[in-house]
Amino acid sequence: MFGTGSQFHGFFNDPRWALAVIRATVLEAAHPQVGAALIDNSTFVAHPWRRLRNTLTSLQRMFGADDDTRQREAARLNRLHARLHGTDPRNRPYDAMDPDTRAWVVATLFESTVTMCRLSGQPLEQRTMEQLYREFQGFLAALEGRADHLPRTLDEFWPYYDRVVAEELENTEAMRIILYKLFDHLPAPPVLNGFPALWATGRAVAGPVVGAITVASLPEPFRRRAGLPEIAGVQTLMQGAYLAAGLTRFLPEGWIKAENVLDLLTLSPDSDDPRARTITAVRDQMKRAGALIRLITPLPPEPGPASGGEAQRNAQEFFAEVLDQTGDGYLDWPDLAAMARELSSRLDLDEPEETRLYAAYADWWRELQSALDTDGDGRVGLHEYAAAVPSLAGPALIRVAEVLFDVTDKNGDQRIDADEYRALFRTAFHRDTTEAGGTYGRSAFVNDFLSFMSGRRRTTPYDPLLADA
């Protein structure tokens, strides 16, 4: 059911699947339990590209051929989901470990893949559809230890799917954000940083189109019940988009491989990846062309980073770019938990190390709450943070830095070598990072981390780790 011979493997790099995953995500977010968990804990608003990359990496691990990797990833996902629970605005409890909710998430991925093929004029044969369904049942079984929260057969699946759509889905806040706000405010991927006008223009055109196509592809009974708009001509546009995406399958395999495309989008110009040099050269040529255009037709200058290699952020920038990981305008525990989650994922930590990192961040949150939460509402607003910035770098943050060093230093030699550095930062050593012997010592690591997290420095290795979208 897994690996290169599976039906899922054939779809993973299919360009049509990008549209299918957006559709599946909307159907997931329309479930009240998933929607509440996304609003309270997810970084999909402030850091969508990072979230997308992590999701694709997780799916690759779960559907890959290596069973040990799959079991390890399933355990990591279960630990992650076990930390996500609370109540929604209507005081209804949610729990990311709820088996029925997890089954619905898997169901949306399967059904959206089937719908993707139908809308692009290539409906799946019954035998292929049944095989694909067994693979998604296997995916759920790898997480839950069993798959009986999904119907046993494909024939039984469709009445189950229709019932959930008709009885359980709602017009949730998370669903509305994905459909109507996320694409309108989608931050530029790292590869397009520095070209805000170009990105804003493309987003202004593509965002509403993607949203309209996604709405048109949702089940009609849910569209009516949720009051989603019906726009003349969008059904034709939707089918044309799926057909056009399907035609891109005939491009060279390397061009449409999901991992390659996402790597390119999230590639930082400062990376040591050979492709970064090509991108940097293209960016330089575009900037020269833009300067020439501005000479001919003067326009207001685009904002750029402050001069100097170690530019400083003001309090508002640092709060929005780094601290507010969930993008809700406040700093609270889910934001710090998101940092711990990202670091644990990058380093592929085992449970004891992951628990140490989360515990260090929890201690930091208690310290921050005690020092900064002046109105006692259980969270820290921008004005509270800006009034007491020096309190950010207290003993608990130093402990976070020390624990992060320890879990990155896999061999315990008190030095971070080139491989360990790449595992955390996904790039090679910076010229000014290494000490004698080509390693990164504890003191230097802790000092750099504290300088970054106290908001004093940008253009450090931590920017793409915690600040990039």
Side-chain angles (χ1 to χ4, degrees), residues 55-76:
T55 299
L56 290 178
T57 299
S58 181
L59 286 171
Q60 284 180 316
R61 291 172 177 172
M62 290 297 295
F63 280 95
D66 187 79
D67 191 55
D68 289 340
T69 299
R70 181 164 40 258
Q71 292 180 14
R72 184 182 179 89
E73 180 64 11
R76 186 189 72 82

Side-chain angles (χ1 to χ4, degrees), residues 111-245:
E111 189 275 340
S112 291
T113 306
V114 173
T115 299
M116 166 192 88
C117 295
R118 175 175 56 80
L119 292 177
S120 58
Q122 296 177 319
L124 296 178
E125 296 180 354
Q126 183 71 14
R127 183 184 304 175
T128 303
M129 203 184 311
E130 289 173 349
Q131 173 62 28
L132 184 65
Y133 184 60
R134 286 193 293 270
E135 292 171 10
F136 277 99
Q137 286 177 309
F139 174 39
L140 182 61
L143 288 173
E144 292 280 323
R146 58 183 190 177
D148 55 357
H149 287 275
L150 278 177
R152 186 175 58 87
T153 67
L154 181 61
D155 288 341
E156 295 169 328
F157 171 81
W158 299 115
Y160 152 81
Y161 177 83
D162 292 339
R163 180 190 63 76
V164 174
V165 168
E167 299 177 6
E168 298 187 31
L169 300 193
E170 299 176 0
N171 189 346
T172 65
E173 181 184 359
M175 186 197 77
R176 293 192 299 272
I177 288 175
I178 295 171
L179 284 176
Y180 302 119
K181 294 183 180 179
L182 180 59
F183 292 109
D184 287 346
H185 300 88
L186 187 67
V191 72
L192 289 178
N193 280 343
F195 299 101
L198 175 64
W199 175 252
T201 300
R203 183 181 59 192
V205 174
V209 171
V210 173
I213 287 171
T214 304
V215 169
S217 69
L218 297 175
E220 186 177 355
F222 176 67
R223 292 205 312 269
R224 288 199 305 268
R225 189 157 51 86
L228 298 176
E230 302 254 356
I231 303 175
V234 171
Q235 288 288 334
T236 302
L237 177 63
M238 173 190 66
Q239 291 179 331
Y242 275 94
L243 285 170

